Amino acid sequence: MSSPQFDLITVGGGLGASALAISMARRGARVLVLEKETQFRDRVRGEGLTPWGVAEARELGIADLLLKTCAKAVPCVEMGFGPRNLVETTPQKEPFFTYCHPEMQEVLLAEAERAGAQVRRGVTVQAIEPGANNAAVVAGDGKNEKVSARLIVGADGRGSAMRKWAGFETQKCPQPFHFAGVLLTGVSGRDDMVTAIFNADLGMIVGIFPETKQRCRAYLGYPTELALALQGSDKLETFLMESKRAVPMLNEMYAEVKSVGPLATFDVSESWVDHPYRDSVALLGDAAATNDPTFGQGMPTALRDARILRDALLQHSDWDQAGHEYAQQHDAYFHNSRKVCGWLRTLFQDPGPEAQVLRQRAMPLIAQDLTRVPDHIFSGPELPADDAVRARFFGE
Ligand SMILES: Cc1cc2nc3c(=O)[nH]c(=O)nc-3n(C[C@H](O)[C@H](O)[C@H](O)COP(=O)(O)OP(=O)(O)OC[C@H]3O[C@@H](n4cnc5c(N)ncnc54)[C@H](O)[C@@H]3O)c2cc1C
């Protein structure tokens, strides 16, 4: 085998890939980022980074850059229990960071280049050849080319083809909800507060994330069986109407809104691979595990992945060992987080009769003592998620 051209190739140049590329290139690694978009556009993705994700961004050395360029620090959250200041109440002592997702992608990819990574845009990876040659087959400028690396990182998002190319088996857990989002201006209300309110009778959730330039990312989660097909500008009225039906205070907040981006809807079903490393290929971010976006764990997890993989690669000269160590840790934090999000979905969103019975017992206890609600989505997946935590949440 001839020596590889790069230490690391990332397939994709989204949040997860660029965070890893910045961090590794700053430490002298030869990094190549392959990204198919020449200019990022609004794909209706995550725009609220929870406090434990902000702490990960600090560890990766990108938090200040985000704040200086595209992010807004939003300290409070309202989930229907009264405003909560996250800076005062999370172990990380951090706020939400909110940003327009494509603006954040541009900032981080430019930073990866500044840090010394080679960034190629407008190229599409079409296949990989894992193992001895460990190469990616790249199409761009009308020709195909092979580039090799010690490690190929699949960071190609929720529709990841890398999973299949590298021979991983995808696990799936269907969920009966959809999640729609659109960028709005003209939302009235506090711009230092994220609003995320469930209406369990309807199986809905509304999320509103104030961003820079007086914009807000608005989300609506709803049962798939409603078949609302919230896609395209002619469905904006339905999106707004259903949001107001779920949370009546939006009648006032949404009185003067305009959309400034596409409206799109996603199936929230989870999909992941177990142990996202094999044969010199690691998966990271949504490619490794696509979370239910309702709970906003996708971006913190992508950043955690980047940090854990970086630390393992820097610690071990044997990158095969590093890859396995990363994958082992990934499984632990992803599944802890997934378990707790499942509990939250049952008690706060599931409109079915069994969940209603659970709510009758649990909600009065939670109203008296909010610490019964596991805080993983804000404070991180290393919080305990054992039977005692579950029993306390469900009031058993
Ligand atoms: C509606 C919705 C709302 C969400 N809300 C939140 C939220 O509030 N908070 C939160 O934390 N998370 C949220 N998420 C999840 C979050 O957006 C993702 O977890 C995060 O963007 C994943 O980042 P990534 O880098 O793994 O993937 P991506 O951001 O998808 O990046 C993948 C990149 O790879 C490129 N690519 C793909 N295939 C190829 C190829 N073959 N060759 C070259 N390039 C390729 C793509 O162009 C893309 O730039 C939400 C998701 C959705 C769908």
Side-chain angles (χ1 to χ4, degrees):
M1 175 193 174
S2 55
S3 58
Q5 294 156 274
F6 293 92
D7 295 316
L8 199 81
I9 292 175
T10 71
V11 178
L15 174 69
S18 50
L20 178 68
I22 291 167
S23 216
M24 289 299 289
R26 281 180 185 164
R27 285 160 180 81
R30 296 168 305 155
V31 181
L32 173 64
V33 178
L34 299 167
E35 168 55 53
K36 68 180 176 191
E37 302 289 340
T38 49
Q39 189 173 20
F40 293 116
R41 64 201 153 79
D42 186 353
R43 296 171 296 154
V44 187
R45 291 293 197 271
E47 311 219 325
L49 183 66
T50 61
W52 76 271
V54 173
E56 293 294 346
R58 281 201 198 289
E59 289 284 330
L60 287 158
I62 55 173
D64 290 341
L65 171 74
L66 289 172
L67 266 189
K68 237 185 277 162
T69 50
C70 60
K72 179 180 169 77
V74 180
C76 297
V77 63
E78 170 61 85
M79 295 191 71
F81 303 115
R84 169 181 174 188
N85 187 314
L86 294 164
V87 180
E88 290 167 4
T89 59
T90 53
Q92 295 81 3
K93 307 216 172 310
E94 295 283 6
F96 260 104
F97 275 11
T98 63
Y99 36 67
C100 170
H101 197 103
E103 290 174 11
M104 171 276 290
Q105 280 187 283
E106 295 293 350
V107 163
L108 292 186
L109 213 44
E111 181 63 20
E113 202 156 23
R114 243 190 317 272
Q118 202 180 115
V119 176
R120 288 196 210 159
R121 299 188 64 167
V123 294
T124 305
V125 177
Q126 298 207 312
I128 58 161
E129 295 173 2
N133 292 325
N134 218 40
V137 181
V138 189
D141 289 338
K143 58 179 188 333
N144 275 7
E145 187 195 348
K146 279 187 200 172
V147 275
S148 61
R150 279 178 80 186
L151 180 72
I152 299 180
V153 178
D156 52 342
R158 50 189 288 126
S160 174
M162 278 291 294
R163 288 183 184 178
K164 194 167 75 179
W165 294 338
F168 290 102
E169 195 183 325
T170 296
Q171 313 292 327
K172 290 190 178 144
C173 183
Q175 298 296 344
F177 297 100
H178 271 63
F179 199 64
V182 65
L183 198 58
L184 299 175
T185 55
V187 177
S188 72
R190 284 174 60 171
D191 83 338
D192 65 342
M193 189 154 79
V194 165
T195 304
I197 297 184
F198 287 95
N199 180 330
D201 292 334
L202 300 177
M204 288 182 167
I205 176 175
V206 164
I208 303 170
F209 293 78
E211 295 179 3
T212 59
K213 304 179 195 165
Q214 277 84 49
R215 298 168 297 185
C216 277
R217 169 62 79 188
Y219 297 115
L220 174 68
Y222 57 91
T224 305
E225 66 186 21
L226 289 184
L228 296 175
L230 296 177
Q231 203 83 19
S233 54
D234 56 333
K235 287 296 176 90
L236 181 67
E237 268 318 305
T238 315
F239 174 92
L240 297 174
M241 217 176 59
E242 291 292 328
S243 302
K244 293 173 196 170
R245 186 164 76 93
V247 178
M249 74 176 183
L250 296 190
N251 277 302
E252 204 182 319
M253 288 176 80
Y254 281 178
E256 307 278 340
V257 294
K258 282 200 192 92
S259 69
V260 285
L263 169 65
T265 297
F266 300 82
D267 177 353
V268 308
S269 297
E270 300 149 311
S271 76
W272 68 94
V273 307
D274 287 326
H275 199 77
Y277 173 81
R278 57 182 295 177
D279 297 338
S280 303
V281 176
L283 301 181
L284 156 160
D286 277 10
T290 306
N291 292 290
D292 172 353
T294 310
F295 300 97
Q297 299 299 285
M299 294 192 295
T301 306
L303 293 178
R304 167 72 58 97
D305 293 353
R307 176 175 66 82
I308 298 290
L309 181 57
R310 176 201 69 184
D311 289 349
L313 295 175
L314 293 176
Q315 190 188 345
H316 300 287
S317 54
D318 176 353
W319 277 16
D320 196 50
Q321 187 186 351
H324 285 297
E325 190 176 295
Y326 155 71
Q328 227 169 4
Q329 290 197 51
H330 176 277
D331 284 357
Y333 55 76
F334 168 65
H335 285 295
N336 224 33
S337 166
R338 188 174 159 259
K339 177 161 71 169
V340 173
C341 290
W343 299 344
L344 297 173
R345 187 186 300 111
T346 300
L347 213 50
F348 292 160
Q349 188 174 14
D350 183 348
E354 284 167 25
Q356 272 179 28
V357 171
L358 294 174
R359 270 194 290 282
Q360 274 163 14
R361 184 179 55 206
M363 292 313 282
L365 296 169
I366 288 173
Q368 282 168 19
D369 179 3
L370 291 177
T371 68
R372 285 177 173 273
V373 182
D375 204 42
H376 299 61
I377 61 174
F378 300 113
S379 297
E382 47 287 322
L383 290 181
D386 54 21
D387 288 348
V389 175
R390 186 190 180 284
R392 192 157 178 269
F393 180 45
F394 285 95
E396 285 164 359

